[in-house]
Amino acid sequence: MRRSRRRKPKLAVWKFASCDGCQLTVLNLEDELLALAGAVEIAHFLEASRATVRGPYDVSLVEGSITTPHDARRIRRIRERSRYLVTIGACATAGGIQALRNFKDVREFVSIVYAKPEYIETLSQSTPISNHVRVDFELQGCPIDRRQLLEVLTAFLHGRRPNVPAHSVCMECKRRGVVCVMVARGVPCLGPVTQAGCGALCPGHARGCYGCFGPMETPNTASLATWLGRLGMADASLVRVFRTFNAGAPAFRAAAESHES
Ligand code: SF4
Ligand code: SF4
């Protein structure tokens, strides 16, 4: 059989401030990983292998947020060497849980936590990758969904836009025939303002959604907050409910701020 001389596209996976959970989703592709490895050259993926290949790269997946001056310089170099740059997860698309620092004085944390605070070089804010460089696509979730990741990878390898829905978790509940936990049981749920991707995992187990996929397109957070208030949620709780993995996402950030006293 004649071997194809066509060069395989180079895939690189990069990590910034994060827990590695989204990179683990890449590894968890299991059945699909062999096919993927056959279709692309995995040129840089330190979670999987120490072997690396020099860029430029066709597709770079970037996990994690920018939290240090070194991060900010490094992401610019990665952008220069990447044809397409896709951010994966709440850290990379919204600053992650570490964006909670954005609402406090980070110098105070550093002075309390570290014995030698003068050795710590950090930025006052944890910011998404798109605050620093041009991003071709943002895949939300904490962690991301493996089926959506496959769709995004396939799309970029074939030069088309990914087909990832921007509608809410509520739509996924309806598709699954899951009874609404908020209407039927009075359970607080962020499903009406959270982007689809998990298949309505939590409502499917009779639990409310806590928004790990981040804001959907044009979320009506004000209306949801009114309903959560009717279920007994006080302003302090409303602040906390919007201030989790996607605290830095503009829609959730504004929703939390509007209930701060
Ligand atoms: S988005 Fe969540 S799972 Fe992914 S790296 Fe950040 S904290 Fe971990
Ligand atoms: S918290 Fe919401 S978005 Fe996250 S898995 Fe549960 S239902 Fe899905």
Side-chain angles (χ1 to χ4, degrees):
M1 193 197 300
R2 246 184 65 196
R3 273 178 193 276
S4 167
R5 287 176 179 276
R6 210 168 142 253
R7 179 181 74 79
K8 285 185 189 174
K10 280 188 193 166
L11 173 69
V13 184
W14 309 95
K15 172 187 162 64
F16 287 82
S18 58
C19 80
D20 288 25
C22 291
Q23 288 187 83
L24 287 177
T25 305
V26 183
L27 287 175
N28 281 346
L29 286 175
E30 295 165 354
D31 297 344
E32 298 89 353
L33 201 56
L34 283 178
L36 184 65
V40 301
E41 180 180 12
I42 299 181
H44 187 282
F45 185 11
L46 297 184
E47 187 92 3
S49 167
R50 277 183 299 174
T52 58
V53 177
R54 285 169 68 91
Y57 306 98
D58 294 280
V59 179
S60 276
L61 298 180
V62 180
E63 176 198 80
S65 66
I66 302 299
T67 60
T68 67
H70 175 256
D71 286 347
R73 291 190 293 274
R74 196 172 142 242
I75 192 61
R76 286 198 289 273
R77 289 201 302 275
I78 290 171
R79 175 70 265 188
E80 284 162 11
R81 287 180 285 155
S82 306
R83 182 172 176 214
Y84 296 120
L85 190 148
V86 175
T87 50
I88 55 170
C91 297
T93 60
I97 200 81
Q98 55 276 21
L100 289 172
R101 69 159 69 172
N102 302 358
F103 309 100
K104 298 287 177 191
D105 180 2
V106 78
R107 285 167 308 178
E108 193 184 340
F109 292 147
V110 171
S111 69
I112 293 169
V113 171
Y114 296 98
K116 297 276 187 188
E118 61 272 24
Y119 292 147
I120 305 297
E121 197 185 24
T122 189
L123 298 169
S124 62
Q125 304 247 314
S126 167
T127 44
I129 302 297
S130 61
N131 277 29
H132 300 266
V133 294
R134 179 174 56 82
V135 169
D136 294 293
F137 191 80
E138 296 187 304
L139 184 60
Q140 296 179 198
C142 178
I144 51 170
D145 175 74
R146 62 201 291 273
R147 292 155 303 182
Q148 289 197 339
L149 173 63
L150 262 185
E151 161 60 15
V152 169
L153 277 174
T154 310
F156 277 101
L157 292 173
H158 289 89
R160 63 171 172 81
R161 289 297 292 173
N163 182 14
V164 172
H167 56 240
S168 72
V169 169
C170 288
M171 297 284 283
E172 296 192 301
C173 275
K174 304 297 173 283
R175 281 210 185 100
R176 285 186 57 181
V178 171
V179 174
C180 177
V181 294
M182 202 152 92
V183 172
R185 300 160 56 104
V187 175
C189 181
L190 287 194
V193 297
T194 299
Q195 181 160 302
C198 63
L201 189 60
C202 298
H205 291 277
R207 295 179 52 179
C209 168
Y210 47 92
C212 67
F213 267 68
M216 64 175 293
E217 200 173 46
T218 62
N220 192 343
T221 52
S223 173
L224 179 66
T226 303
W227 282 102
L228 294 176
R230 285 179 195 164
L231 291 176
M233 203 177 270
D235 272 352
S237 300
L238 281 169
V239 172
R240 281 199 296 273
V241 96
F242 286 110
R243 236 168 232 176
T244 57
F245 318 97
N246 292 281
F252 283 6
R253 181 179 186 136
E257 279 169 358
S258 70
H259 293 278
E260 265 180 325
S261 47

